[in-house]
Amino acid sequence: MSDNQRSKSSLDPALRERLLKESQTPWRGLRRLLWFALFASAGLGLFTMAFRASAGDSVELADFGIQGGALLLFTGLLWFDRDRSGSSGD
């Protein structure tokens, strides 16, 4: 039992805290990368549609709604998946 206690105490407290945090929210970095990529894609699509509409090309209103909804959805996912502890992570 004393070996187990020594191995616990030899772990760096900052590393231990980081590992505990990662175990509570696994894959957060990968998820946030995915949400950001999809957010950027939706934003670029909405910008392209707005640019085409301003040039006089016809763009359906439903397509604007889909792109706007996707942008709002991925903005919300990024917002709700943020780090709420107040630390920057590094």
Side-chain angles (χ1 to χ4, degrees):
M1 191 70 153
S2 63
D3 288 335
N4 191 14
Q5 289 174 346
R6 267 188 254 143
S7 67
K8 281 185 180 180
S9 65
S10 68
L11 190 61
D12 182 32
L15 177 62
R16 183 176 189 278
E17 182 67 30
R18 204 168 131 209
L19 289 172
L20 283 172
K21 191 175 187 183
E22 178 66 25
S23 71
Q24 293 168 354
T25 57
W27 304 100
R28 173 174 276 167
L30 187 61
R31 273 196 324 262
R32 289 193 49 87
L33 181 66
L34 178 66
W35 299 151
F36 184 75
L38 292 171
F39 166 79
S41 175
L44 185 61
L46 191 62
F47 174 76
T48 303
M49 285 183 180
F51 192 71
R52 283 180 49 203
S54 71
D57 200 6
S58 68
V59 178
E60 293 203 24
L61 190 57
D63 292 342
F64 272 121
I66 291 170
Q67 286 300 117
L71 190 67
L72 287 174
L73 173 71
F74 296 124
T75 302
L77 287 172
L78 274 170
W79 176 259
F80 288 118
D81 202 20
R82 72 188 188 280
D83 185 17
R84 293 184 179 108
S85 68
S87 64
S88 65
D90 283 319

